[in-house]
Amino acid sequence: MAQIAPARKVYDVCVIGSGAGGGTAAKVLTEGGLSVVMLEAGPALNPYKDFKEHVWPYELAHRGADVGGRARHELNSEFMAPNGFWEIEGEPYTTAPDTQFRWFRSRIEGGRTNHWGRIALRFGPADFRARSIDGRGDDWPIAYEELAPYYDKVEAYIGVFGTKENVPNAPDGVFLPPPKPRCTETIVKKACDRLGIICIPSRMAILTQPLNGRAACHYCAQCGRGCVTAANFSSSQVMLPRARSTGRFTLIPNAMAREIVLDKSGKVEAVSYIDKTTRGENRVYARAFVVAASACESSRLLLNSRSNSFPDGLANGSGVIGRYLTDSVGSSLAGYFPQLEKVPAHNHDGVGGMHLYMPWWRFGQKNDFLRGYHIEFGGGRHMPGVGGFDGVCAQYEGYGPSLKQQCRKSYGNVIGFAGRGEMIPNEKSYCEIDPNVVDEWGIPVLRFHWEWGENELKMSKHMQETFREIIETGGGTVLGSRTQASEDHSTEGRALTDSAKAKASGISEGGTIIHELGTVRMGNDPKTSALNRNCQAHSVKNLFVADAAPFVTNADKNPTLTIMALSWRTSEYLLEQAKKGDI
């Protein structure tokens, strides 16, 4: 007897990725009445099981340091939230010869929002028209004023603390009250005031008052280990629960997207994915598709989606996908402040991060480099992490009571400083498909090319000089310096290599700030961009991108708030098009 095949389910929208952009899209689209299916490359998340918010080191095997201490000083220690890995077994990536680049990836519901620093900064008006100001890079196809209403919506929904300060190109937002400065922060604030450096309450996505059914932060300062009460923002606990509550949301975990498939009319009809639990290949069908797997992962998926219509990758007629890859310019330095030795033992109350920060204070002034950076800092008597006393152990000989006394003496007396600045895109920094390497699912992997420009090296050097000024003005002593490579005798009398220049400037290794973006850029010209001003593919009308890949510039602000604002704007546009029947 003939069998009638069951009709395949077709969702309104398929979202690939569950992090900041994907979670925001799922919330907005389901609330707008559309059915949404989401593919996540990792497992579903259970905060009560997976988060280690109030776990003590002695409750974990190896005290959270992993076998042989492999997790020491790494983000993915056993003592942290399930945030991802620098290296994933069976899922490699490669780098071109003479390239140093590290790629941090998450494989769990909520993605990297489970561990991010919650620093929530708006891009400023000048960040959207940088080329018009200094002639480098490109302008965005949208202005700050067009995105500002969506910043408002995101901040009002997720909760961001801060204060209105009217700092040039560091826009104020919809703020909750900030927490009070801690003693370490008052030391830095006084030093900054003397140096003319702006130092104001930080802007972070952590609740200081109850909001939308979420409790206020209880100041355990363990945000990096997850937050069972959801007082700090994560897509898994704030965006996706709202999408589920509509009854129009389906999550497919452990689904590794392999290829986006076109129909005969040239529109996307399905995503082919590998079920990691069965190793079988399946397809999910929808009327529209939102790619939000993170900038580089989204590029990988599009580049691997080749067809007769798009031999170089889906929607890549311009050839820009994978190009214009940037990361934030990073540099760091720490200082020892002896006055803190005399401070009585006390609770280091507050959020898991800084209460104050320094926005770019030289905006509009003449500098040795273009654009700018902000400064993050922290220290004090917080919960020691894995390897927290390694520096003391390396400096002082001994063991037992004498070593413990040195640890107690130094505990809480170090303040670290980190700069986060704008990288200008360059033609030597990009990702592409490696022609010879596949992951364990048979999917071709990314190969990275990376090089810092002279502008970034000058910026990093300025960061180092500024950190030293702040430390010494505040009565501290600099602990080491990342600029000592410039004194290496092997470089005397000849030009420094690119690697030596990077070391001399104190700049971070590419990718390690985990702000990679810009690989599927938006623009008005289909010849020089992949997406239009609504993050819709120029050449495939039912395909959208909603992570950091559409960014045109990498401003001196952390990108997550802008990812969510842009995703919210894109999702509302998609809703309008769906209602008109144009998708």
Side-chain angles (χ1 to χ4, degrees), residues 206-260:
I206 301 172
L207 301 187
T208 54
Q209 294 177 345
L211 181 69
N212 295 328
R214 296 160 54 208
C217 177
H218 52 276
Y219 286 176
C220 75
Q222 305 303 302
C223 296
R225 299 170 184 177
C227 182
V228 173
T229 65
N232 62 34
F233 172 83
S234 67
S235 174
S236 54
Q237 292 176 283
V238 180
M239 295 303 192
L240 298 186
R242 178 56 189 154
R244 285 191 181 93
S245 71
T246 67
R248 292 183 285 271
F249 177 74
T250 301
L251 175 70
I252 303 179
N254 298 304
M256 188 70 190
R258 183 183 70 81
E259 181 184 9
I260 299 174

Side-chain angles (χ1 to χ4, degrees), residues 389 392-393 396-408:
F389 293 103
V392 180
C393 295
Y396 296 97
E397 293 185 5
Y399 59 93
S402 63
L403 181 58
K404 290 180 180 178
Q405 288 174 4
Q406 289 293 345
C407 289
R408 291 191 181 100

